Amino acid sequence: MELSTIEQTAFIYYHFLAIFGVPANFLTIVLLSRGGCGLSKGITLYLVSMTTADLLVIIFNVIIYYILYYYSPFSPLDYTPITSMNEVINYMALDYSVWLTVAFTVDRFVLICSPKFREMYCREKTAAVVIVTVCVVFCFKNIPLYFAFEPIYIINNVEWGAQFKPTYFTLPGWVTFDWFGTILNPLLPYFLILLLNALTVRHIVMANRTRRALQGQRNNQNSDDPEMQSRRKSIILLFSISGSFIVLWMPYVVFFLVSRITNSHYEPDEYTDPLHIADYTGDMFQLLSSCTNTCIYALAQTKFREKLRNAIMYPFIAIVTYGKLAKKFETKQNEVHSY
């Protein structure tokens, strides 16, 4: 199958994304689940669920959707029911990843900006309820999508491929469903995260001014304040994760808004069309957001960085230790035989 330049670029890019994303996300889930990273149980639960959602995005949206379909044309993966189910799972995984990021941002916003409400909201039980609710809601939200697809072609009474039915773009019910899904992802979560981060920054600036005025301290003296230290750690983690989401989803959101507002379209086979290239680029950056959290945790959390370093070095240390033991055993065996 001959690929265009943009398709070749994306194809190579998705291979690297899969090679890095699967082990990185899996290792992050293991390390966070084991605890000892200096994080509360509630925030650990959010981070584990977000990383799990990111892993699902890599598996279904990258490995299965982009890579395996290329290597295995006319395989069982191409049967219309399986392809349709994979499309539904793709949408679910992206919704989980995005809205769990929103839930995490809300949790950090409450922690930083609402001292009275934080004791009731920022708890492990609340985090579990929010995560389960997000998963259940978006599972049911995407189930109707399965019935929006039809086969691309039929060979010997076997249905292959999946594409949206023409009625999906004309029937009022499907059009409403499409716009509802569009508002839920990416528009509403993207602007919610922007808004919450803006409010958080505003609160931090005002709180710091008030605190400095009360304590009579200058900016460079805040490092000894335990409250400021605790707040700083929460801010770094919040802005790192939500900031990464905002930046990496920006091309996708901009493309979506421009194409919808101007009602611009491109031919599926016209790979030199700037709009088509922008669409591919937006998808590439959007999927990259499912691989960045491990790097963010490593940069923002000292204890996680130490556990990650130990986990990476463990196989090498085990090999060296095994080699030393084997050599020691061999030396003893030679001493026994020499007698």
Side-chain angles (χ1 to χ4, degrees):
M1 185 186 299
E2 186 175 352
L3 300 178
S4 65
T5 302
I6 185 62
E7 286 181 308
Q8 291 176 10
T9 303
F11 189 63
I12 296 171
Y13 170 81
Y14 289 135
H15 277 74
F16 283 105
L17 210 59
I19 292 170
F20 174 78
V22 172
N25 282 313
F26 180 77
L27 185 59
T28 300
I29 292 170
V30 173
L31 294 180
L32 290 173
S33 300
R34 290 168 62 91
C37 294
L39 301 169
S40 67
K41 292 183 178 180
I43 191 172
T44 298
L45 202 56
Y46 276 118
L47 296 180
V48 169
S49 64
M50 290 162 60
T51 309
T52 303
D54 289 341
L55 180 60
L56 292 176
V57 171
I58 296 296
I59 291 173
F60 288 98
N61 291 53
V62 175
I63 296 177
I64 295 178
Y65 188 81
Y66 282 103
I67 298 177
L68 291 186
Y69 274 105
Y70 175 83
Y71 285 120
S72 305
F74 295 100
S75 71
L77 287 173
D78 278 320
Y79 292 158
T80 298
I82 296 178
T83 304
S84 300
M85 180 59 68
N86 187 61
E87 291 279 4
V88 172
I89 295 175
N90 287 347
Y91 280 94
M92 283 185 186
L94 280 174
D95 284 343
Y96 293 160
S97 179
V98 170
W99 277 96
L100 288 173
T101 303
V102 174
F104 168 79
T105 306
V106 171
D107 182 87
R108 296 298 87 188
F109 171 78
V110 172
L111 177 73
I112 296 170
C113 302
S114 181
K116 294 182 180 179
F117 193 45
R118 76 171 68 157
E119 295 297 328
M120 182 177 64
Y121 186 82
C122 301
R123 300 182 301 168
E124 182 182 11
K125 184 177 179 180
T126 304
V129 171
V130 170
I131 291 167
V132 171
T133 302
V134 167
C135 293
V136 171
V137 167
F138 286 98
C139 176
F140 282 103
K141 172 255 179 186
N142 286 292
I143 286 176
L145 270 175
Y146 181 84
F147 305 99
F149 295 101
E150 66 179 8
I152 298 176
Y153 34 79
I154 301 175
I155 302 176
N156 296 327
N157 293 324
V158 178
E159 298 179 341
W160 295 92
Q163 63 184 359
F164 282 110
K165 298 175 181 177
T167 53
Y168 182 80
F169 305 99
T170 57
L171 287 180
W174 280 123
V175 172
T176 303
F177 176 84
D178 182 61
W179 270 106
F180 178 70
T182 299
I183 292 171
L184 286 179
N185 189 11
L187 297 183
L188 182 58
Y190 191 82
F191 290 108
L192 270 177
I193 290 176
L194 280 174
L195 174 63
L196 291 174
N197 277 304
L199 293 175
T200 302
V201 170
R202 178 177 175 272
H203 175 85
I204 291 168
V205 171
M206 295 178 64
N208 286 351
R209 288 176 180 174
T210 303
R211 198 170 186 84
R212 285 197 300 268
L214 292 173
Q215 295 181 350
Q217 295 179 335
R218 296 183 178 179
N219 291 338
N220 58 5
Q221 294 176 314
N222 284 331
S223 57
D224 297 329
D225 187 348
E227 177 69 19
M228 297 294 287
Q229 289 283 3
S230 176
R231 186 181 298 168
R232 186 178 295 113
K233 291 179 181 179
S234 296
I235 292 166
I236 291 173
L237 189 60
L238 169 64
F239 286 177
S240 298
I241 292 176
S242 57
S244 169
F245 174 85
I246 290 170
V247 171
L248 294 177
W249 274 76
M250 186 176 293
Y252 179 86
V253 173
V254 170
F255 166 79
F256 175 84
L257 291 175
V258 170
S259 61
R260 288 299 179 99
I261 292 173
T262 61
N263 197 28
S264 302
H265 302 282
Y266 59 81
E267 293 297 327
D269 297 328
E270 189 57 52
Y271 294 102
T272 58
D273 189 324
L275 203 62
H276 201 165
I277 295 174
D279 191 10
Y280 261 88
T281 304
D283 285 342
M284 291 163 67
F285 275 99
Q286 166 207 320
L287 292 173
L288 178 61
S289 67
S290 299
C291 292
T292 56
N293 282 346
T294 301
C295 300
I296 290 171
Y297 303 152
L299 292 173
Q301 299 293 318
T302 303
K303 292 184 178 180
F304 179 84
R305 185 163 59 248
E306 293 174 357
K307 292 173 72 70
L308 181 62
R309 186 188 304 114
N310 293 337
I312 293 174
M313 293 301 298
Y314 178 79
F316 302 100
I317 295 174
I319 292 172
V320 172
T321 303
Y322 176 79
K324 289 180 178 179
L325 290 174
K327 188 175 181 180
K328 188 176 181 180
F329 178 78
E330 184 180 354
T331 302
K332 288 185 177 180
Q333 289 291 100
N334 292 335
E335 290 176 356
V336 171
H337 287 301
S338 65
Y339 288 114

